[in-house]
Amino acid sequence: MTRLHREPAEGMEASGCRVLIVGCGNLLRGDDGVGPILIRHLWERGIPDGAQIVDGGTAGMDIGFRMRGARKVVIVDASRTGAQPGTIYRVPGPAVEQLPPLEGMNTHSFRWDHALAFAHWLLKDEYPEDVTVFLIEAERVDPGAELSPAVRRSMERVIEIIEEEFLTELGPPGRPTVEFTADGYLRMGPDLAARHFPGGSAVAVRRAGELWLYPLRGPQAGGLPLKQRTPAGDRSVLVREALDDRVPVGTRTAVWDGLHGALRIPLDAGA
């Protein structure tokens, strides 16, 4: 049995956001990866200020720490009940109050109900009052398989529901600001880091007067780590080498390019 701790892992802080969206599942097993894949699609479409997304397939029990301070939580996972593939189940908060015990839980079998059970244990009275779970019936979970057409269509429908019911009230995706520092780092706020760099790692490339920052899945994929610099959760990534040591110190307005999957930062202060 996995030993449980109340202290978050290094670099993991409470979200404090208005809407937290978590996708659970295994990307390597076909339809079982629908949760993390949905998170990637939301990420590419842009997330408004006040919302955060988490790939629960890699975050594991850290989800519990993320839920602290969140007003609303949405969890998406695959189900295998024998129903028609692509069937969508919407499970409201009161229906998930009776959760399985934590005994016997391990990180290899961590599912949405384990995430909520762990969060209940961890947060007690701070557990979010508004929790919604979407389950999508899987068709195939073979290793290496892609999403089946039925599950992909249902995933798109769940994305529409999430955007309409949970994200629209937050407004359109914002235009974030970032800061180039004199010691060669690019600093960004916690919401921007959680929204577009949930893996905590990135690749920096200079392109035609801009710095393009591409997110990676995690430190194991290589790239530049996003280090936590302040208690509020601000993150910094070392970009000096990508800019040939010519760092344009100061604040810039960044743009998320969903087509290319990159955060684009102008190097000219007047751009």
Side-chain angles (χ1 to χ4, degrees):
M1 181 179 73
T2 298
R3 185 179 179 183
L4 302 179
H5 299 271
R6 289 179 183 267
E7 294 298 323
E10 182 180 354
M12 179 60 61
E13 68 282 343
S15 67
C17 62
R18 293 173 61 185
V19 179
L20 177 69
I21 304 169
V22 181
C24 297
N26 187 340
L27 280 169
L28 303 179
R29 298 191 66 88
D31 292 337
D32 190 49
V34 65
I37 292 173
L38 177 142
I39 292 297
R40 292 184 181 182
H41 280 258
L42 284 174
W43 171 16
E44 292 170 355
R45 293 159 78 124
I47 300 296
D49 292 337
Q52 289 188 14
I53 55 176
V54 176
D55 179 349
T58 59
M61 288 184 289
D62 290 336
I63 296 170
F65 299 106
R66 292 273 192 170
M67 288 176 67
R68 177 183 285 125
R71 297 183 186 178
K72 297 181 180 180
V73 175
V74 179
I75 293 181
V76 182
D77 200 357
S79 62
R80 299 183 67 185
T81 67
Q84 181 73 19
T87 299
I88 300 173
Y89 302 93
R90 180 169 181 161
V91 187
V96 297
E97 291 179 354
Q98 300 300 321
L99 295 166
L102 293 177
E103 289 79 7
M105 182 183 70
N106 63 75
T107 55
H108 299 291
S109 60
F110 204 85
R111 306 298 304 192
W112 68 270
D113 50 353
H114 296 133
L116 295 182
F118 177 67
H120 260 298
W121 171 84
L122 175 75
L123 303 180
K124 302 260 186 305
D125 293 340
E126 295 182 277
Y127 182 80
E129 295 182 1
D130 192 332
V131 177
T132 301
V133 179
F134 290 97
L135 302 176
I136 301 176
E137 185 71 14
E139 179 176 351
R140 53 177 182 248
V141 292
D142 303 324
E146 297 183 354
L147 288 185
S148 63
V151 169
R152 185 172 293 278
R153 288 192 297 269
S154 295
M155 178 189 71
E156 292 292 341
R157 177 55 186 149
V158 171
I159 288 176
E160 292 175 358
I161 294 172
I162 291 173
E163 290 182 332
E164 292 171 3
E165 298 187 19
F166 297 93
L167 299 182
T168 298
E169 65 184 38
L170 302 181
R175 294 288 299 274
T177 58
V178 296
E179 179 188 4
F180 288 106
T181 64
D183 54 354
Y185 282 85
L186 179 75
R187 175 176 289 181
M188 66 181 71
D191 285 344
L192 177 61
R195 186 185 317 145
H196 294 306
F197 302 89
S201 183
V203 171
V205 179
R206 182 171 183 167
R207 287 189 172 183
E210 294 181 330
L211 180 70
W212 288 35
L213 205 62
Y214 295 91
L216 297 177
R217 295 184 187 177
Q220 68 276 9
L224 306 168
L226 273 68
K227 301 178 180 179
Q228 184 171 339
R229 291 301 188 190
T230 69
D234 288 349
R235 304 279 173 154
S236 291
V237 56
L238 186 63
V239 297
R240 184 177 57 227
E241 291 186 6
L243 298 175
D244 297 323
D245 290 325
R246 295 192 293 271
V247 181
V249 177
T251 301
R252 302 288 189 278
T253 298
V255 175
W256 175 254
D257 187 334
L259 179 62
H260 297 95
L263 185 69
R264 297 171 55 177
I265 304 105
L267 299 177
D268 184 350

